[in-house]
Amino acid sequence: MVRQLKLGAVLMGVGGPGQHDTWTHPEIPGDASIDIRWYAERARQAEAALFDLVFIVDSQFITPDSPPHYLNRLEPLTLLSALAVSTTHIGLVGTLTTSYNTPFNLARRLASLDLISGGRAGWNVVATGDGGTAANYSRDEHFDYASRYGRALESVRVCQGLWDSYEDDAFPRDVATGVFVDPTRQHRLDHVGEHFSVRGPLNISRSPQGQPVIFQAGDSDEGRDLGASIGEGIFTHSPTLEKAQAFYRDIKARAAAKGRDPEHVLIMPGVTPVVADTDDEAREIERANRLGKDFAKNLAQFGRPFGWHDFSGYDLDAPFPDLGDLGADSFRTQAEQIKKVAREERLTLRQTVERFMSSTPQPFVGSATTVAAEIERWFTGRGLDGLNVHITVPSEFARFTDEVLPILRERGVVRSEYEATTLRGNLGLPIPRNVHTAAREARVPTPAHV
Amino acid sequence: MVRQLKLGAVLMGVGGPGQHDTWTHPEIPGDASIDIRWYAERARQAEAALFDLVFIVDSQFITPDSPPHYLNRLEPLTLLSALAVSTTHIGLVGTLTTSYNTPFNLARRLASLDLISGGRAGWNVVATGDGGTAANYSRDEHFDYASRYGRALESVRVCQGLWDSYEDDAFPRDVATGVFVDPTRQHRLDHVGEHFSVRGPLNISRSPQGQPVIFQAGDSDEGRDLGASIGEGIFTHSPTLEKAQAFYRDIKARAAAKGRDPEHVLIMPGVTPVVADTDDEAREIERANRLGKDFAKNLAQFGRPFGWHDFSGYDLDAPFPDLGDLGADSFRTQAEQIKKVAREERLTLRQTVERFMSSTPQPFVGSATTVAAEIERWFTGRGLDGLNVHITVPSEFARFTDEVLPILRERGVVRSEYEATTLRGNLGLPIPRNVHTAAREARVPTPAHV
Ligand SMILES: Cc1cc2nc3c(=O)[nH]c(=O)nc-3n(C[C@H](O)[C@H](O)[C@H](O)COP(=O)(O)O)c2cc1C
Ligand SMILES: Cc1cc2nc3c(=O)[nH]c(=O)nc-3n(C[C@H](O)[C@H](O)[C@H](O)COP(=O)(O)O)c2cc1C
């Protein structure tokens, strides 16, 4: 099968990090983040463009300074379940943290979405970056990296075990014999691990795609290791092709080292294409978006990887402050990267904020031809297997789907019609074999061997 | 306002406790319990009959002997969120346990459903009867009654606090001034209690009905106390009018003693009406349903209040066994009631099983005229404020809606059109005042007083 670019749409309402003013856009209702019709229309727009999936990010910790979308948003799975009955083909990927959910509840809710959508559910496994979240869940402190990622891996394994509670032939529902369930096809899990003990069985059967698709987001060494272990899709951010290629090679090598098929780990960075009539015009729009932002809001947002540290009291023109290990238990990878660049290049606080929040041009900016060519270059150059497109404004999204995608379609890079009605089917991912069925069939010789 | 009967439809797929054979009915698809279209059609059927709400019960613990609907079911809130966009007026009440969920997640998911449905969400607060559930959530034992109900009360209070995180005017979204949120209208909770510490704020605003409606189910002294404290609807089972009236008086008196308006606590027992052309015919159907059941399945089901105790090894014709305090941490109220009756009436195990599982005729059985009159008698006799109707077969439900309800409508007992698009509006329940708004307005004299 020819390799094709996978497409996700990151659905937001009124703008996430660095998008403090999106809500003022005339095409965006002020309450878009809590309006299910807004999400349903965006999902249908992406479905009409044959996207593989919509992607819902998440957070649970806010202060009055949080970005608009964070302040007031729908819980991802509640949202996606409503979208499941408002769409027919597009995948539904929700971000759910393993730090503040129990695996039994995660498995159950995701399996329900998977059945409701006819096999279109996906789970973006995160361990939560915002340390302040802990206080909403009866904890004094956020989990440290080791337990955060330990819980994440164990949670996914438990969910996958629970999702196999029933074999596919568990329900004969034979009216003549009166047999509803075949008890030999129902299995307990009896998991006893470092973080969780879960007996099972889960009270729900498998969907047409077998199990929800596992996505992962988290860039530290521990995060990459988790992605390589369980991720079937990896959500990341890659500012340049070179960095994207390095990340791509690293994840695929890690997955291969774990005995997995690297083609079944799809790297899908988040991107924000800007399409205009000419390259110059697009670059000007991108630049204006980036620089037009209020410095105070950028400064507040800049604090996020450091546990929403408040930088407003610092001297902006003094050398970047010594922050010790601030951020180590929050978004460590990002925090360390910022500190490193500031130190090596001897930047002031203001310069550092500008570098990371506004002064670096984004990729995928230009005329439709330019953007399409750039996407194809990243795709064939193995910088990515797909894109998670962050475009909130409907008409801007339409330029991408109506001008860029046809060029890529013409070149065979993206699909011309859905291959399947399940997310696995469209992503080209295999249906995981039920472990109990596999074990039984391994024990019993199949007729061909007799 | 004239008092009218409230109507809930308990939506099940293939039959709950005591309904082992419902799945063989020709009108019911074998996979109804996991088929969202089935639920959507039933919800629309209830909505067309102007029901106040659909009610989804729940459980998380199964064995191979569990009733068909329990074996394979959708998670209530995932299910209801899909129904929210498939209906327009009917309330959506989901059972969620406070024993195995954290209050922040409960508050968030319910608030999301409330916004998605435009103010139609309800929460049936339960503490979980099945002790075996504990093993799915990393616990050796189920919580004892005191902590179970302590957690339940504290969870509801925390959720209600979180639901008031934003005052109704918190989001000016004023493009001219660039003000999205008014930080003085966002509030932390800073709850520190016996079971939970929750800082807040919750990252979601209030719906048109202010907060989800709180239902409660649990009949012990502790359960009734909880219902009287926080219940706006009470889900119960009442086999006779006399028992219903005693329960009704008890709950209303407890609520009044807590300073609440007893009219804002609606008693809604679960009932299974059987409607036929004549009373005799209906009684015959009800009798056949009840007695037609397989004794072994009844015996398995009988074990439920005793923590799914296995009674199959006992001598059926010996006196009811001494079970010690079996069931004390499971469904204690029901278990103790069974033991008491068996002891006082010196029943054998078989007689006890028959008494509780099959030999007691149900109320609300007869011709449409008889059933309507009986409902009116219970309603005007203050045995109930509403009904939670358990009818799974669509044509049987249609007999109830098309033959019984018109008689009650004619007599002014049930509505002729929806009064509102919110669940509170239809149930006649007040919108809870935001506590922060109330506190502020109490401090600041209103213009009229100046
Ligand atoms: C591209 C990307 C997207 C992420 N999205 C979310 C999210 O929506 N919600 C969340 O709680 N964490 C999210 N995370 C955070 C991770 O779960 C992780 O906790 C955080 O990045 C810190 O870990 P790390 O150092 O391994 O990256 C995301 C991380 C990345 C890299
Ligand atoms: C009418 C009724 C319906 C109930 N429905 C549920 C349910 O759907 N799920 C659940 O976990 N518990 C349910 N419960 C159980 C209660 O939450 C409670 O844990 C159990 O009844 C034992 O407590 P009690 O002795 O106070 O009744 C229900 C109880 C009653 C009385």
Side-chain angles (χ1 to χ4, degrees):
Chain A
M1 215 186 73
V2 61
R3 178 171 172 258
Q4 282 190 320
L5 183 81
K6 303 305 169 194
L7 290 169
V10 180
L11 298 194
M12 290 253 195
V14 289
Q19 302 185 305
H20 276 272
D21 300 322
T22 312
W23 66 272
T24 60
H25 194 285
E27 283 182 48
I28 298 181
D31 62 354
S33 290
I34 53 166
D35 181 353
I36 193 64
R37 286 162 309 183
W38 167 263
Y39 289 101
E41 283 160 21
R42 300 288 72 72
R44 284 191 288 253
Q45 193 181 359
E47 190 169 66
L50 306 177
F51 270 53
D52 291 271
L53 54 98
V54 296
F55 202 100
I56 308 293
V57 296
D58 194 36
S59 65
Q60 299 93 40
F61 168 68
I62 53 168
T63 70
D65 296 320
S66 299
H69 181 71
Y70 285 44
L71 287 171
N72 195 6
R73 73 197 309 178
L74 297 173
E75 189 280 327
L77 239 78
T78 322
L79 163 52
L80 288 172
S81 188
L83 295 189
V85 294
S86 310
T87 54
T88 55
H89 285 73
I90 199 161
L92 307 162
V93 183
T95 298
L96 290 168
T97 177
T98 50
S99 294
Y100 302 105
N101 282 297
T102 55
F104 196 87
N105 282 341
L106 286 169
R108 195 171 175 223
R109 294 171 60 203
L110 286 157
S112 295
L113 177 65
D114 209 22
L115 283 177
I116 290 172
S117 62
R120 293 186 282 137
W123 173 20
N124 180 35
V125 178
V126 299
T128 302
D130 295 327
T133 311
N136 289 332
Y137 294 95
S138 304
R139 286 184 56 90
D140 292 331
E141 290 197 337
H142 192 27
F143 294 100
D144 61 24
Y145 261 68
S147 23
R148 232 197 267 181
Y149 278 110
R151 285 175 62 101
L153 180 61
E154 192 177 328
S155 295
V156 175
R157 295 286 186 220
V158 168
C159 286
Q160 290 174 325
L162 288 171
W163 288 330
D164 277 357
S165 293
Y166 287 114
E167 297 182 54
D168 290 339
D169 57 356
F171 294 97
R173 300 187 184 106
D174 184 335
V175 177
T177 59
V179 175
F180 182 76
V181 66
D182 175 351
T184 69
R185 299 294 192 262
Q186 186 204 68
H187 304 275
R188 274 165 61 165
L189 181 63
D190 290 321
H191 170 87
V192 179
E194 194 183 335
H195 303 280
F196 308 105
S197 303
V198 183
R199 190 167 74 166
L202 188 68
N203 53 350
I204 188 163
S205 56
R206 285 163 50 114
S207 85
Q209 68 171 351
Q211 298 192 348
V213 178
I214 305 291
F215 284 75
Q216 183 273 346
D219 277 352
S220 60
D221 194 54
E222 293 91 335
R224 291 179 183 211
D225 205 63
L226 174 69
S229 298
I230 52 87
E232 302 179 273
I234 307 288
F235 187 32
T236 181
H237 286 300
S238 302
T240 64
L241 176 56
E242 293 61 41
K243 286 192 177 143
Q245 287 167 328
F247 181 82
Y248 189 103
R249 276 194 303 270
D250 180 52
I251 297 287
K252 300 266 173 161
R254 288 178 192 243
K258 290 177 194 291
R260 297 182 62 204
D261 181 344
E263 296 292 315
H264 295 157
V265 186
L266 303 169
I267 313 292
M268 297 180 67
V271 299
T272 309
V274 178
V275 185
D277 292 344
T278 64
D279 288 357
D280 280 350
E281 201 188 313
R283 276 196 294 264
E284 189 42 48
I285 293 169
E286 189 273 336
R287 199 170 152 275
N289 284 348
R290 204 161 20 91
L291 301 180
K293 276 174 222 147
D294 182 326
F295 186 81
K297 283 179 180 166
N298 276 342
L299 190 66
Q301 190 59 39
F302 178 78
R304 187 179 192 212
F306 304 95
W308 290 106
H309 186 64
D310 180 2
F311 282 96
S312 64
Y314 289 77
D315 180 350
L316 289 170
D317 299 306
F320 190 76
D322 178 1
L323 299 171
D325 69 351
L326 200 72
D329 270 350
S330 195
F331 291 82
R332 188 180 66 202
T333 317
Q334 217 183 323
E336 293 308 316
Q337 169 70 3
I338 293 170
K339 288 181 206 165
K340 182 161 168 275
V341 169
R343 191 174 55 242
E344 288 178 359
E345 307 188 19
R346 299 169 185 268
L347 304 178
T348 63
L349 174 57
R350 187 193 305 277
Q351 288 166 330
T352 314
V353 174
E354 281 169 355
R355 165 74 64 90
F356 285 93
M357 305 303 291
S358 62
S359 71
T360 312
Q362 298 300 302
F364 309 111
V365 174
S367 68
T369 324
T370 301
V371 172
E374 195 64 3
I375 291 174
E376 189 173 3
R377 193 166 74 93
W378 285 48
F379 176 65
T380 54
R382 295 270 176 180
L384 49 79
D385 296 311
L387 300 174
N388 270 312
V389 180
H390 288 262
I391 308 181
T392 305
V393 178
S395 63
E396 293 172 12
F397 188 68
R399 289 205 79 156
F400 181 76
T401 59
D402 300 352
E403 299 177 31
V404 178
L405 291 186
I407 302 172
L408 293 169
R409 191 162 292 133
E410 185 73 23
R411 304 179 59 88
V413 176
V414 300
R415 68 164 58 86
S416 301
E417 54 185 26
Y418 280 114
E419 295 86 40
T421 56
T422 66
L423 178 54
R424 284 186 185 279
N426 286 317
L427 290 178
L429 294 170
I431 295 179
R433 197 83 202 287
N434 182 298
V435 290
H436 305 287
T437 311
R440 197 161 25 86
E441 292 182 358
R443 282 194 304 274
V444 181
T446 59
H449 298 113
V450 180
Chain B
M1 214 185 75
V2 61
R3 179 172 170 256
Q4 282 191 321
L5 184 81
K6 304 305 170 194
L7 289 168
V10 180
L11 298 194
M12 291 253 196
V14 291
Q19 301 185 304
H20 277 272
D21 300 322
T22 311
W23 65 273
T24 61
H25 194 285
E27 283 181 48
I28 298 180
D31 61 354
S33 290
I34 52 166
D35 182 354
I36 193 65
R37 286 162 308 186
W38 168 262
Y39 289 101
E41 284 160 19
R42 300 288 72 71
R44 285 192 287 252
Q45 193 181 0
E47 190 170 66
L50 306 177
F51 270 53
D52 291 271
L53 54 98
V54 295
F55 202 102
I56 308 292
V57 295
D58 194 37
S59 64
Q60 300 93 39
F61 168 68
I62 53 168
T63 70
D65 297 321
S66 298
H69 181 71
Y70 284 44
L71 288 171
N72 195 6
R73 74 196 311 176
L74 297 173
E75 190 279 327
L77 238 77
T78 323
L79 164 52
L80 288 172
S81 188
L83 295 189
V85 292
S86 311
T87 55
T88 55
H89 285 73
I90 200 162
L92 307 162
V93 183
T95 298
L96 290 167
T97 178
T98 50
S99 293
Y100 301 106
N101 282 297
T102 55
F104 196 86
N105 282 340
L106 287 168
R108 196 171 174 223
R109 294 172 60 202
L110 286 157
S112 296
L113 177 66
D114 210 23
L115 281 178
I116 289 172
S117 63
R120 293 185 283 135
W123 173 20
N124 180 34
V125 178
V126 299
T128 302
D130 295 327
T133 310
N136 289 331
Y137 293 95
S138 304
R139 286 184 56 91
D140 293 332
E141 291 197 337
H142 191 27
F143 295 98
D144 61 23
Y145 261 69
S147 24
R148 233 197 268 181
Y149 279 110
R151 285 175 62 100
L153 180 61
E154 193 177 327
S155 296
V156 175
R157 295 286 187 221
V158 168
C159 287
Q160 290 173 326
L162 288 172
W163 289 330
D164 278 357
S165 293
Y166 286 114
E167 298 182 55
D168 291 340
D169 56 357
F171 294 97
R173 298 186 186 107
D174 185 335
V175 177
T177 58
V179 176
F180 182 76
V181 67
D182 175 350
T184 69
R185 300 295 192 262
Q186 185 204 68
H187 304 275
R188 275 165 60 165
L189 181 62
D190 290 321
H191 170 86
V192 179
E194 194 183 335
H195 304 280
F196 308 105
S197 302
V198 184
R199 189 167 73 166
L202 187 68
N203 51 350
I204 188 163
S205 57
R206 286 163 50 114
S207 85
Q209 68 170 350
Q211 298 192 348
V213 178
I214 305 290
F215 284 74
Q216 182 273 344
D219 277 352
S220 59
D221 194 53
E222 293 91 335
R224 290 178 183 211
D225 205 64
L226 174 69
S229 298
I230 52 87
E232 303 179 274
I234 308 288
F235 187 33
T236 180
H237 286 300
S238 301
T240 65
L241 175 55
E242 293 62 39
K243 286 191 178 145
Q245 286 166 328
F247 180 83
Y248 189 103
R249 275 193 305 270
D250 180 51
I251 296 287
K252 300 266 173 161
R254 287 179 193 242
K258 291 177 194 289
R260 298 182 61 206
D261 181 343
E263 296 293 315
H264 295 158
V265 186
L266 303 168
I267 314 291
M268 296 181 66
V271 300
T272 310
V274 178
V275 184
D277 291 345
T278 65
D279 288 356
D280 281 350
E281 202 188 313
R283 275 196 295 265
E284 189 42 50
I285 294 169
E286 189 275 334
R287 200 173 151 272
N289 284 347
R290 203 162 19 90
L291 301 180
K293 276 175 223 145
D294 183 326
F295 186 80
K297 284 179 177 165
N298 275 342
L299 190 66
Q301 189 60 39
F302 178 79
R304 187 181 194 211
F306 304 96
W308 290 104
H309 186 64
D310 180 2
F311 283 96
S312 64
Y314 288 77
D315 180 351
L316 290 170
D317 300 306
F320 190 76
D322 179 1
L323 299 172
D325 68 352
L326 201 72
D329 269 348
S330 193
F331 290 83
R332 188 179 69 198
T333 317
Q334 215 183 326
E336 292 307 317
Q337 169 71 1
I338 294 171
K339 288 180 205 167
K340 180 161 169 276
V341 169
R343 190 173 58 240
E344 286 178 0
E345 305 188 19
R346 300 169 183 269
L347 303 178
T348 63
L349 174 57
R350 186 193 305 279
Q351 288 166 332
T352 314
V353 174
E354 281 169 355
R355 165 72 66 88
F356 285 93
M357 305 302 292
S358 62
S359 72
T360 311
Q362 298 300 303
F364 309 109
V365 174
S367 67
T369 324
T370 301
V371 172
E374 196 64 3
I375 290 174
E376 190 174 2
R377 193 167 73 93
W378 285 50
F379 175 66
T380 54
R382 295 270 176 180
L384 48 80
D385 296 311
L387 300 174
N388 269 312
V389 180
H390 287 261
I391 306 180
T392 305
V393 177
S395 64
E396 293 172 11
F397 188 67
R399 289 206 78 157
F400 180 77
T401 59
D402 300 353
E403 300 176 30
V404 177
L405 291 186
I407 302 172
L408 292 169
R409 193 161 291 134
E410 185 74 22
R411 303 178 60 88
V413 176
V414 300
R415 67 163 58 86
S416 301
E417 54 185 26
Y418 281 113
E419 295 86 41
T421 55
T422 66
L423 179 54
R424 284 187 184 278
N426 286 316
L427 290 178
L429 294 171
I431 295 179
R433 197 82 203 287
N434 182 299
V435 289
H436 306 288
T437 311
R440 199 162 24 90
E441 293 184 358
R443 281 195 305 274
V444 182
T446 58
H449 298 112
V450 180

